[in-house]
Amino acid sequence: MPIYTKGGDKGSTSLYDGQRVSKDSLQVEVYGTFDELNANVSLADKFCQVPKNVEWLQWVEYHMFFLQGELATQHATTFQQNSRMITEEDIQFLEHVIDAYTASLPAVDSFILPGSSTAGAQLHVCRTVCRRAERLLVKFMQTHFVRPEIEKYVNRLSDFFYIIARSEDHEHQLRAIEDQVIKRYCQAVKGDQ
């Protein structure tokens, strides 16, 4: 079965519930930007050095399907009948991770460069794409109903990417220090021989 349907050859696309809209509609722009974000999250999880971060990012990737699906539907109830939706518990999960890492990482009292590690840099890309998607979502909400849980979840999501980026950068710095200590130790041992 081919992956193309030819249904969009004249500039329209089908939403989750089968309704057709123009490909340049704000609704398509919103869920399309979250799709872009999810691709970036997938790339970020491949660079991460902290196994727990990979696990959490993959959790976000799966939940992004629920978010996109709901935004790609004219009526949330249609989506709700066939799929899981973002809940208050999902928001609390993000808050739990943010709070735990904020408490365990060194305090930051100034702006930081966006990533001292490859994973950190890619997670900051996720953070900025998420912010752009959020701006589009807010614009979309001026004319369409979006459940408050979606808005809150998206707002927490960019903070989540920020703190996971900090975690990866911190781990990268610790490994760099460890590598330097081992290198100097080896040089000292070699010099004693």
Side-chain angles (χ1 to χ4, degrees):
M1 182 175 153
I3 63 166
Y4 56 87
T5 63
K6 301 184 181 181
D9 288 355
K10 294 184 179 176
S12 68
T13 190
S14 287
L15 297 178
Y16 178 85
D17 54 9
Q19 299 208 28
R20 294 200 70 81
V21 295
S22 175
K23 288 183 177 182
D24 69 352
S25 76
L26 183 55
Q27 186 168 16
V28 175
E29 186 69 22
V30 171
Y31 74 73
T33 305
F34 281 110
D35 188 30
E36 176 187 350
L37 172 60
N38 207 22
N40 275 288
V41 175
S42 179
L43 181 59
D45 89 47
K46 308 310 181 278
F47 290 130
C48 285
Q49 299 297 307
V50 180
K52 201 66 170 167
N53 291 346
V54 174
E55 181 184 324
W56 288 337
L57 288 170
Q58 289 176 352
W59 181 92
V60 166
E61 288 173 59
Y62 283 109
H63 283 72
M64 198 67 71
F65 292 127
F66 310 141
L67 175 75
Q68 290 169 245
E70 186 171 344
L71 292 173
T73 307
Q74 293 284 5
H75 305 288
T77 52
T78 305
F79 184 74
Q80 187 176 19
Q81 293 168 358
N82 300 306
S83 183
R84 185 186 179 293
M85 298 172 83
I86 298 296
T87 65
E88 188 64 37
E89 288 75 26
D90 299 324
I91 298 162
Q92 290 170 3
F93 171 78
L94 294 179
E95 290 174 349
H96 168 75
V97 173
I98 293 165
D99 292 345
Y101 271 8
T102 300
S104 67
L105 291 168
V108 174
D109 56 4
S110 63
F111 287 107
I112 62 171
L113 292 175
S116 60
S117 65
T118 304
Q122 179 59 34
L123 284 158
H124 280 288
V125 170
C126 293
R127 176 184 58 79
T128 59
V129 174
C130 187
R131 287 290 190 208
R132 176 162 45 91
E134 183 180 18
R135 291 190 298 270
L136 289 168
L137 178 64
V138 168
K139 186 174 182 181
F140 179 69
M141 290 170 56
Q142 292 172 5
T143 55
H144 296 79
F145 173 77
V146 174
R147 291 184 311 114
E149 291 87 351
I150 295 288
E151 186 178 14
K152 285 171 63 177
Y153 180 84
V154 170
N155 191 34
R156 296 301 180 283
L157 198 54
S158 57
D159 295 333
F160 170 84
F161 292 132
Y162 171 82
I163 205 72
I164 299 294
R166 285 203 51 224
S167 165
E168 286 294 326
D169 287 347
H170 184 66
E171 179 69 18
H172 176 75
Q173 290 164 352
L174 292 177
R175 288 184 184 200
I177 292 168
E178 186 179 281
D179 289 347
Q180 279 295 333
V181 169
I182 292 170
K183 182 179 177 183
R184 288 180 184 175
Y185 174 77
C186 290
Q187 288 172 342
V189 169
K190 191 175 182 180
D192 287 344
Q193 294 177 348

